[in-house]
Amino acid sequence: MATSSDQPNGGKLTGSSIVESLGITPLINAGGPNTKHSGSRPRPEAIEAMEAMSEVFVDIDELLLAAGERIAALTGNEAATITSGASGGLVVQAAAAMAKDDPKLISQLPITDGIPNELIIQRGHRFIYDHLYLSPGSRFVEVGRPTDCTIDEIEAAIGPNTAGLIHLASPFKSELGVTLPALADLAHSRSLPVLADCASMLPPRENLTKYTSQGADLVSFSGGKAVRGPQSTGFLVGKPEWIEYARLNNSPNPGVTRAQKVSKEEIAGLLAALEAFVEIDEESETKNYRDQMTFIVDQIAEIPGLSAEIIHNLDHYIPHAVVRFGESWRGPGYSEIANRLKVGSPRIYAAVDYRETPSFISIDPLNLQDGEVAIVAEQFRKVLIDASSGN
Ligand SMILES: *Cc1c(COP(=O)(O)O)cnc(C)c1O
C-alpha cells in the first residue's frame, strides 16, 4: 500500500489528488461557467460557510424562509427563495403557476387534469433548457416566429387554460420579440404571472432588480455561475405572493420538485457567495478581466487569417477574448480548435459559439486561476499558429 510519504503533498488531499486517483485529468476552464465543465469555482466564503453549516441541524422550512428574506434584502427585491440551480427554478415556476398554494394541486402535479396548464412562450425565447418548464406537467403554446412576435399574437393565445407567460433573457436570443414590460402589462391585465429565465444574466449586478422592476413575477438566476455559490444552487426573486407559491411547490415538500433538494450547506454557501458577489466593485472587477484578456489578445492578434478582440456586451457578460476566422484563414473550424485545446497538455476548455454555424471561439476569464492566463495565452497561440499554416 502506498504510504503518505509516497504521495505528493505528503498525502494531503488536493483537488488534483482526488481526480488523479479516479484516473481522470483535470482541465483549465477558460470557457466560463458551463455545467459540463464544472461550472464555476465556489468563492472561499461559500466553502467556509458550507463547512460551518455542516455542524448544525435546523428546520429546513425555517432556514429557507430566512435565507429567502436575506437574499431579497441583498438583491434589493421584495422576496426571494432558493432553488436547485436556475433550471430547478424553472420547474418551480411552472409548478407555482399551476398549483399556487393549493396542497391538493401541489401533490397532484405532474397530472394537470382540471388545472390551467398552458405556458405561452415566444418562439424566439425557446432555449435548450426550457423543457424544465414542462416537467411539472405544463404544455407550451408557442407564438410568433423565431425572429419576432407581436403582443397581439400573445394576447390571441391567452385562453382559459393559460397558466403563465414565459420570458427569456439570454445571450443569443432574438431581441425583436415582445419586451418584458409589455408582456407583464398584458399578463397582469389577465391576472397571469410572468415567469422569467434570466439564469446567466449576472453580472451586471444591476440585473438583480432589472427584470422584477420590469414586471416579472418570478425571475430565475443561477447561483453556480458568476455568483460563484455552490454549482447546484439557484434562486428566484419576485413578488411575495409568487415567491410563496414557489416555496410551497419546492423541495423539501413532497411533490414533483422533491428531487431538487438543496442542502443546508448549499443554502449557507449560496448566501455567503451572494453576500460577497454584491459587495464586489464591478468597475475594478471588469478592468481586471479586461487586462487579462488584453494579454491573451496581444499574444494571438498577429496570427494570419484571424481577428482577436475583447468583447463585453450582452453575449459576453464579462470581457472575453473573442477570436474570429476571416476568409484567408487556412486552418480548421472553431470546434476543431476547441478540441485541440481540450486534448492538449495542459487540457484547456475554451468556449465555442453554440449556434448552428459557430462564428467565434472565446476565452472567458471567470474561472482562470493565478498563473493560468499566461498558460492559456501560450497554448492558444501555439494551437492557432499550428492551425494557421493549414495543419
Ligand atoms: C445556465 C442557464 C440555465 C441553467 O442554470 P443552472 O443554474 O445551471 O441550472 C437555464 N437557463 C439559461 C438561460 C441559462 O443560461
Side-chain angles (χ1 to χ4, degrees):
M1 218 186 105
T3 63
S4 60
S5 59
D6 295 335
Q7 294 166 11
N9 264 330
K12 188 179 169 291
L13 201 58
T14 64
S16 299
S17 75
I18 294 171
V19 297
E20 274 158 27
S21 78
L22 293 168
I24 60 171
T25 310
L27 44 78
I28 291 176
N29 183 327
N34 171 274
T35 300
K36 285 194 179 195
H37 296 89
S38 315
S40 60
R41 186 172 181 178
R43 296 181 188 279
E45 293 91 338
I47 299 291
E48 194 188 347
M50 288 177 78
E51 193 157 355
M53 194 66 186
S54 71
E55 297 161 8
V56 295
F57 286 95
V58 292
D59 178 305
I60 293 290
D61 283 329
E62 289 174 15
L63 177 64
L64 280 170
L65 276 166
E69 273 175 34
R70 176 72 62 83
I71 292 178
L74 281 172
T75 61
N77 284 287
E78 284 180 84
T81 194
I82 289 177
T83 59
S84 60
S87 8
L90 306 186
V91 182
V92 172
Q93 286 184 354
M98 293 186 292
K100 302 199 172 85
D101 58 354
D102 183 329
K104 218 179 117 261
L105 297 182
I106 291 171
S107 57
Q108 178 186 317
L109 296 179
I111 293 166
T112 58
D113 297 350
I115 323 174
N117 71 341
E118 291 175 359
L119 301 176
I120 297 176
I121 184 166
Q122 301 175 56
R123 284 201 168 80
H125 288 227
R126 294 298 315 266
F127 187 72
I128 45 172
Y129 300 147
D130 65 15
H131 285 77
L132 276 303
Y133 276 120
L134 306 179
S135 85
S138 6
R139 291 281 170 272
F140 284 147
V141 174
E142 290 187 81
V143 290
R145 291 143 299 281
T147 47
D148 70 297
C149 179
T150 67
I151 191 82
D152 292 343
E153 286 172 309
I154 294 181
E155 186 156 25
I158 296 176
N161 263 329
T162 308
L165 273 52
I166 290 173
H167 178 86
L168 169 70
S170 166
F172 314 124
K173 95 153 200 239
S174 152
E175 284 307 308
L176 292 176
V178 173
T179 64
L180 178 54
L183 189 77
D185 281 348
L186 173 61
H188 298 152
S189 75
R190 305 298 186 88
S191 304
L192 291 168
V194 172
L195 314 175
D197 176 2
C198 307
S200 67
M201 303 305 285
L202 299 172
R205 288 159 180 79
E206 67 187 26
N207 282 354
L208 284 166
T209 50
K210 176 177 173 180
Y211 309 105
T212 36
S213 68
Q214 291 184 347
D217 297 280
L218 287 171
V219 179
S220 192
F221 286 115
S222 280
K225 292 181 178 173
V227 171
R228 293 177 52 200
Q231 212 334 242
S232 50
T233 58
F235 55 102
L236 292 168
V237 297
K239 305 257 165 63
E241 171 193 30
W242 286 101
I243 289 291
E244 180 60 4
Y245 297 162
R247 190 184 67 81
L248 294 170
N249 277 274
N250 201 4
S251 179
N253 300 314
V256 77
T257 60
R258 167 73 196 177
Q260 300 178 194
K261 69 171 71 171
V262 182
S263 71
K264 61 185 163 61
E265 291 78 14
E266 292 169 314
I267 293 169
L270 175 62
L271 282 183
L274 255 178
E275 268 164 25
F277 176 77
V278 298
E279 280 302 315
I280 290 167
D281 177 48
E282 201 163 289
E283 213 171 297
S284 62
E285 177 188 63
T286 301
K287 182 180 178 309
N288 186 31
Y289 288 144
R290 188 170 281 277
D291 291 347
Q292 294 178 359
M293 295 302 95
T294 303
F295 182 83
I296 290 183
V297 165
D298 286 349
Q299 301 288 306
I300 55 182
E302 300 301 315
I303 299 173
L306 62 75
S307 72
E309 60 177 327
I310 297 165
I311 302 187
H312 184 199
N313 63 12
L314 183 70
D315 287 6
H316 301 97
Y317 65 112
I318 56 178
H320 282 51
V322 178
V323 172
R324 290 198 176 87
F325 300 141
E327 296 207 332
S328 61
W329 174 251
R330 293 173 57 206
Y334 300 106
S335 304
E336 173 58 19
I337 298 296
N339 283 341
R340 290 181 186 185
L341 286 166
K342 189 143 172 208
V343 300
S345 181
R347 306 179 67 191
I348 294 172
Y349 159 58
V352 174
D353 174 14
Y354 64 79
R355 280 170 281 215
E356 231 167 287
T357 317
S359 66
F360 62 81
I361 180 169
S362 64
I363 301 297
D364 177 327
L366 180 75
N367 288 325
L368 294 179
Q369 310 300 308
D370 282 351
E372 289 183 348
V373 173
I375 298 170
V376 169
E378 190 188 333
Q379 280 288 112
F380 201 21
R381 178 181 157 82
K382 264 197 216 148
V383 166
L384 287 170
I385 287 179
D386 187 47
S388 72
S389 54
N391 290 324

